[in-house]
Amino acid sequence: MSIAVATGASSLIQLGLSVGDVATMISLGRSFGNWLSAGPGDDDFLKAVDVDEGAMSLRRGLIDVAAFNKRWRKDCKILVNGRPKVVNDDSLDQFSRFTASMVSIVTALDAFLTSSGVTKVVGDVLKEMLRTTDLGEDLIRAELNNRIRSWRSAGVMRGIALKATQFRDSLLKRQLIQPGYAPLAEAPQFRDLVVWLLLGTDETYTTASSDVAAAASTLTYIAFDLVQVRGLLPHDASRPSSCSVSYDPLLITGSTVTRQRVEAGFASVGQKRLESMNVPLVHSEEAVSVFPLPPEARKACRHAWTQGHDAAAEITVRLVQHDDYELLEDLPDLKYVLRVPEVIPDEEAVTDLSTLAHECAFLVSPKVMTCLQDALGGYRYEAEWLGTALASESDDWYPNTGNEKSIYRYRYRAEAFSVMQSFFLGYYYQLFLRFVDTSSLEMQVVEGNWAYRSPGLLKVMNNHVREANSNSLDSGLEPTLCRQDVLEILAMLLCSRRLDLENRMGFNYCIGVIGRRSLLTASLVRQTDSPETVGRFVLLDIDTGGIPCDSERIIRPGEARADLLSIRDGTPKDFVSGEDFAVPEDITRHIEADWAGNRERVLLTMRYKGRRLFSLNIAQTDSFICQAYVPPLEQTDPVNGLPNAISTGLNDLLEGKFLLNNVAAAGQILPPALFRAYNRPNLRYAAVGLYEDVYDSPEFRLASNSTSEALLASSTQNGEGRYRGARPFISPFVVAGEGDVGRKLRQEAEKAWANP
C-alpha cells in the first residue's frame, strides 16, 4: 500500500467507513480502478511504460495544477453506509499534472460520448502522449480500462463530473447542442482535439462539430483555463487566451436531398445521434419540448405525456409473497404483480387504437383507452399506420420522391408518431419511477435511452409487455415482472443504457448497474426488512467505486458464507412484551467483494460494532423476505406475545452459535423458535438470510406488527399434535416484529409505491 493510499484510507475510517469497507475500496482500486487508485495508479502506470512525467512535452500553461487541486478538493462525495457523504479533506491526494489532465479529459468526454467512444479516444490519445515502445503499447492496452475507471471515479467523487453534466445541460437548454451522445463517427475529431490541446503547438483548432466544441468548452469550464472557445458561447470571445478552439457550423456541407431530410427531421440511420434524452423528474413532460416539431405539435406531445402519466396512475403494484408462490414456478427472483380495477382483455381489441394500446401498455383499461384517445386527438386516425410503424424493422420513413404532398404526409405522420411515443413514455415513467428512490440525486434529471421519432424503446417495452402477460398470475389479468425485467426497464428509462440480462438461476441475478448514474437494489444501500422495501431501487450520481462489479459494470451477488461454529438448543420461556423481543442496538451492513469466490461478485457483510458476523447473498435474502413476510394487521395489541418459545438472537451470533431445534420425534410437539430482533431492521434482514434456508417455508415467518400473528401464519396446532400447513414434526420459526423503525420504513415505501 502506497503512502498516498494509506493516508486516504485513514481519512476514510475517520469519516465513518469500517476497516473492511476501506480494504474493499483499496482492493477494488488495485484490481478494477477507482478514485483511490487514480494518483498512485498513474505513478505505477507511467513507470511500467517507462515514461517520465516531467519529460512529457505537454502544452505549457494548459492546466494550473495547484488551482485544480484546491478547487476540486471541496464538497467531494462518497458512499458511506449507503448514503452520500460530503468530504472536505486536505489529506486527499494532490494530483499531478498528468492525473489532473486525464481526470478532466475523461470527465469532459463522458458528457458527450458513450463509454466505448471514450475508451477509443483515450486509448489513441495515450499512445500519442506517451510515444512508447511496442511493449509500452501492449501495457497501455492492458491497463486502459483500469486507468479510465480510476479517472472517471475521481471525477465523480470530486464533483467534477456533476459540474460537467450541469454545463452540458445548460448548453442543451440553450439549444447550442443536440440531445443524445455524439455519433461514434465523431470519435476521431474528439481525439484530434485532445491531442491538439495536450501536445499541439498551433494556437487555433477549428471544428465543424458542435459536440467537439462543447467538449472543449466543458474542459475550459472545469480545468483548462488557457483554452478559449469561439463561436459556441458568446462570452467566450472576451476571454484572453493564446490557445483557442473555433467552432464554425457553416463548414457543414451536404447535398440538397440531405439538407431537406435533416431540415424535415428525418435523418438517416448513418446521421443519427446515439439515443439519450434528458428527463427532468419535476415536469417530466418537458423532455419532449426539444422535439424538432412545430409549436402546436410539441404542445400536443407534452399533453400526451401527461395523459400517459394519468393512465398509469391507476396501476397498483405489489410483490409476490408466500401465498402466491404456489401459483408460479417458484423462481428465486423477486416478482412484481400489476393490477388495475378493470381490464379490457386482449381478445376484445377490435379497433386499431385498442390494438395499439395492447401492444405497448401492460394493462389496458377503460381509463387507458380514454387517455390514449384524448392524447392522440386527430392523430388517432393514423392508429393503423402507427401500429405498422411500431412493428416495422426500419424507422426511415422519408419518401423516396421529393413530391411536396408526400413530404407533408410524412411530416404529419412523424407528428402522430411523436405524440403516440410521448403518451407511452409518460405512461412508463409514471409506472416505473415509483420503484426508485431518486432523493440523493444532485441534479433531479435522468437520462432515457430514447430519442425523437425513435421506436427502439417502444419495441423493447412491447417485448416486456408480452413476457409480463405470459407470466401472469391470473390469465393475463395480472401481468408479472421479475426484478431483472424491472432493472432492464429502469436502466433504459433512467440511465440511458440497454441491457440484456441473462436469466440465471442459483440467486446470481443482477442486483445493480454501475454507470454515470448507478442503479442499485435498495438492499445494497438501504435498510430493508419487508417486501415494500426490498422491492425498491436507489439511483445515485455519486462514486460507487467501492461496489464490486463485472467488466460490463453489472452487479451480481456472490456465494454467502456463515462462519457459525456450533449448534445449540434452548429452554422455552414466555415472551410477552416488546422489551422481551428487544436488543440494545442494530447491526450494520457493509458491501464487500466475494474474496473467497469471485471477486467481481458482491456480498452484504453484517457486523456488530465492527465485529464481522457473516455475509449474505442479497438476491437470495430479498427473495426470502418476500416468501416469509406476514403482512401487518390493521389493528393489533401493542403486547403480542409468544408463549413457550425458544429464543435466539444477537448474542448467539456473536458467540458463533446457531439455533437448530426444529425436528421432533413422532408424536412430539416442539415449541416455536423466536429470533429477537424487534425494531432492528438490519438484524431482521440478517436473520431471514441466515435462518430461512434452514427452516424453509412455510415454517419460517417474518413478523410485521404482530409476532403472534406470524406464529399463526407459520402453523396452527391441531388434534394430532402437528402444525397445519407445515411439514410434520417441524417447529415454527418467527423473527420478531418490525417496531417503530421498520414500520416507518415500510410506510414510506408504501407511500412511494402509490405516489411516485
Side-chain angles (χ1 to χ4, degrees):
M1 182 186 299
S2 70
I3 294 176
V5 171
T7 303
S10 177
S11 300
L12 291 175
I13 293 172
Q14 293 175 11
L15 290 169
L17 271 73
S18 71
V19 174
D21 293 336
V22 175
T24 297
M25 292 186 68
I26 293 172
S27 298
L28 291 174
R30 289 173 172 170
S31 301
F32 306 110
N34 60 28
W35 63 270
L36 270 176
S37 63
D42 284 351
D43 294 339
D44 295 339
F45 172 64
L46 292 177
K47 288 178 183 177
V49 296
D50 196 23
V51 172
D52 181 1
E53 180 178 348
M56 286 191 292
S57 55
L58 301 182
R59 188 189 293 268
R60 296 184 60 184
L62 180 65
I63 184 171
D64 185 335
V65 179
F68 178 92
N69 283 315
K70 182 178 180 180
R71 178 184 180 187
W72 298 117
R73 293 169 72 189
K74 299 177 181 179
D75 299 329
C76 302
K77 281 189 177 181
I78 59 174
L79 194 65
V80 179
N81 296 327
R83 298 283 180 179
K85 186 175 182 66
V86 177
V87 180
N88 290 293
D89 193 343
D90 291 337
S91 67
L92 289 175
D93 285 351
Q94 294 275 348
F95 285 160
S96 67
R97 182 172 59 153
F98 175 77
T99 301
S101 298
M102 295 312 300
V103 168
S104 303
I105 289 167
V106 169
T107 300
L109 292 177
D110 265 339
F112 298 94
L113 286 170
T114 62
S115 294
S116 59
V118 173
T119 301
K120 172 63 177 172
V121 171
V122 173
D124 290 346
V125 168
L126 287 176
K127 292 176 185 177
E128 289 289 331
M129 283 179 67
L130 303 180
R131 297 283 184 177
T132 185
T133 61
D134 291 341
L135 175 60
E137 288 195 7
D138 289 340
L139 289 170
I140 290 174
R141 283 190 290 270
E143 291 295 319
L144 180 60
N145 288 330
N146 182 295
R147 291 294 82 222
I148 290 176
R149 282 193 290 264
S150 295
W151 296 325
R152 179 178 288 134
S153 175
V156 173
M157 181 265 186
R158 299 197 178 212
I160 309 173
L162 174 62
K163 293 298 182 183
T165 301
Q166 291 173 336
F167 185 77
R168 176 181 180 270
D169 191 54
S170 69
L171 297 178
L172 278 170
K173 289 179 179 177
R174 298 170 67 174
Q175 298 184 354
L176 297 174
I177 58 173
Q178 298 300 310
Y181 294 111
L184 290 177
E186 291 274 62
Q189 292 205 45
F190 282 93
R191 176 201 61 207
D192 293 345
L193 169 71
V194 176
V195 170
W196 171 80
L197 283 171
L198 295 174
L199 306 174
T201 57
D202 296 339
E203 293 185 357
T204 303
Y205 179 90
T206 303
T207 180
S209 169
S210 59
D211 294 305
V212 172
S217 292
T218 305
L219 279 168
T220 66
Y221 179 65
I222 61 177
F224 290 2
D225 297 328
L226 180 69
V227 182
Q228 177 187 103
V229 180
R230 302 177 185 272
L232 188 67
L233 291 170
H235 69 270
D236 278 346
S238 62
R239 292 178 59 247
S241 175
S242 60
C243 179
S244 63
V245 175
S246 178
Y247 167 55
D248 185 0
L250 296 180
L251 292 176
I252 299 176
T253 59
S255 67
T256 302
V257 173
T258 300
R259 287 198 300 273
Q260 286 178 346
R261 290 166 63 87
V262 173
E263 289 167 3
F266 299 100
S268 70
V269 173
Q271 295 169 321
K272 283 187 175 179
R273 300 172 63 78
L274 300 176
E275 295 181 1
S276 179
M277 296 290 288
N278 281 6
V279 181
L281 295 177
V282 179
H283 298 300
S284 57
E285 70 276 5
E286 292 300 325
V288 295
S289 293
V290 299
F291 282 179
L293 296 169
E296 285 301 313
R298 289 201 300 270
K299 182 179 179 180
C301 288
R302 289 191 294 270
H303 174 69
W305 185 293
T306 59
Q307 287 295 304
H309 186 282
D310 292 345
E314 69 170 349
I315 299 175
T316 59
V317 183
R318 68 176 181 87
L319 266 76
V320 173
Q321 296 182 27
H322 60 85
D323 291 337
D324 299 314
Y325 268 77
E326 295 178 0
L327 302 176
L328 298 172
E329 296 179 6
D330 202 13
L331 296 176
D333 201 11
L334 270 62
K335 299 173 183 66
Y336 303 77
V337 180
L338 311 181
R339 288 177 174 171
V340 293
E342 181 182 355
V343 177
I344 301 175
D346 187 37
E347 57 269 18
E348 294 183 17
V350 295
T351 67
D352 294 326
L353 197 63
S354 58
T355 300
L356 182 64
H358 278 91
E359 288 292 310
C360 296
F362 286 92
L363 288 159
V364 178
S365 65
K367 184 174 182 179
V368 167
M369 293 307 304
T370 300
C371 291
L372 179 58
Q373 185 166 344
D374 180 84
L376 289 176
Y379 298 119
R380 66 183 181 275
Y381 299 110
E382 296 286 351
E384 180 182 3
W385 176 83
L386 288 171
T388 302
L390 189 60
S392 174
E393 293 295 327
S394 172
D395 58 352
D396 191 0
W397 311 329
Y398 198 83
N400 293 324
T401 66
N403 181 280
E404 185 175 342
K405 183 177 180 180
S406 298
I407 293 175
Y408 174 81
R409 180 169 181 78
Y410 275 81
R411 282 177 174 168
Y412 181 80
R413 284 185 166 176
E415 293 176 8
F417 186 91
S418 299
V419 171
M420 181 270 290
Q421 177 188 21
S422 299
F423 174 85
F424 287 111
L425 285 170
Y427 175 91
Y428 298 139
Y429 276 96
Q430 203 283 342
L431 173 57
F432 288 100
L433 270 175
R434 70 180 69 178
F435 293 73
V436 188
D437 178 2
T438 60
S439 60
S440 296
L441 293 179
E442 187 79 19
M443 287 179 63
Q444 288 291 301
V445 176
V446 296
E447 286 184 281
N449 184 223
W450 51 274
Y452 163 66
R453 208 187 54 78
S454 171
L457 184 142
L458 297 180
K459 290 180 178 180
V460 174
M461 293 304 297
N462 172 255
N463 292 332
H464 283 295
V465 167
R466 293 176 183 273
E467 184 175 353
N469 281 285
S470 69
N471 294 331
S472 174
L473 287 175
D474 186 16
S475 303
L477 301 182
E478 292 186 358
T480 303
L481 291 162
C482 71
R483 184 157 67 177
Q484 285 205 151
D485 294 328
V486 176
L487 264 166
E488 290 182 359
I489 293 169
L490 290 175
M492 283 194 302
L493 295 177
L494 309 181
C495 305
S496 193
R497 185 160 177 198
R498 194 73 61 87
L499 300 177
D500 186 14
L501 299 171
E502 296 180 18
N503 202 21
R504 303 187 183 188
M505 296 294 293
F507 295 109
N508 288 329
Y509 288 96
C510 172
I511 54 174
V513 182
I514 300 295
R516 292 179 173 90
R517 292 174 180 81
S518 295
L519 180 66
L520 313 175
T521 55
S523 296
L524 267 170
V525 290
R526 296 285 191 268
Q527 288 184 322
T528 54
D529 68 343
S530 67
E532 292 83 4
T533 51
V534 300
R536 287 177 55 74
F537 301 84
V538 178
L539 190 64
L540 299 173
D541 58 1
I542 63 172
D543 177 62
T544 50
I547 302 178
C549 62
D550 62 22
S551 59
E552 299 297 320
R553 297 181 294 170
I554 302 297
I555 305 172
R556 294 187 184 275
E559 181 181 349
R561 299 169 183 85
D563 304 324
L564 299 176
L565 303 178
S566 60
I567 296 174
R568 77 163 184 86
D569 55 16
T571 303
K573 61 172 288 189
D574 292 341
F575 296 86
V576 296
S577 67
E579 288 73 15
D580 289 337
F581 304 122
V583 293
E585 62 182 274
D586 208 352
I587 62 177
T588 56
R589 54 175 71 199
H590 304 266
I591 297 170
E592 294 185 5
D594 183 4
W595 299 115
N598 185 342
R599 63 183 184 177
E600 293 184 351
R601 300 288 177 87
V602 66
L603 290 173
L604 195 63
T605 298
M606 315 308 292
R607 297 178 182 273
Y608 180 70
K609 295 184 177 180
R611 170 65 60 84
R612 185 185 189 279
L613 300 175
F614 49 83
S615 58
L616 296 174
N617 177 309
I618 293 174
Q620 185 179 45
T621 305
D622 285 353
S623 179
F624 288 165
I625 291 280
C626 294
Q627 295 184 48
Y629 186 74
V630 178
L633 300 175
E634 292 186 7
Q635 293 183 341
T636 181
D637 190 325
V639 178
N640 48 83
L642 196 65
N644 195 40
I646 299 175
S647 75
T648 184
L650 179 60
N651 289 337
D652 285 338
L653 297 183
L654 290 171
E655 295 175 9
K657 294 180 179 179
F658 190 88
L659 175 63
L660 188 60
N661 188 34
N662 66 328
V663 181
Q668 181 183 9
I669 300 176
L670 288 180
L674 168 69
F675 192 97
R676 301 189 309 279
Y678 180 76
N679 212 28
R680 299 290 182 252
N682 289 340
L683 190 55
R684 281 162 49 81
Y685 185 87
V688 172
L690 182 63
Y691 274 97
E692 206 279 350
D693 197 29
V694 174
Y695 276 79
D696 195 14
S697 288
E699 294 82 22
F700 187 93
R701 286 292 177 260
L702 174 64
S704 52
N705 65 351
S706 174
T707 305
S708 55
E709 181 68 18
L711 176 62
L712 291 173
S714 174
S715 55
T716 302
Q717 290 187 356
N718 61 25
E720 298 178 358
R722 296 182 178 180
Y723 292 100
R724 190 164 59 248
R727 294 176 299 182
F729 317 125
I730 304 297
S731 69
F733 192 108
V734 176
V735 178
E738 61 192 5
D740 295 337
V741 176
R743 181 169 59 254
K744 182 179 179 182
L745 292 171
R746 172 173 52 80
Q747 290 173 346
E748 289 177 350
E750 288 173 344
K751 183 179 179 181
W753 284 111
N755 300 293

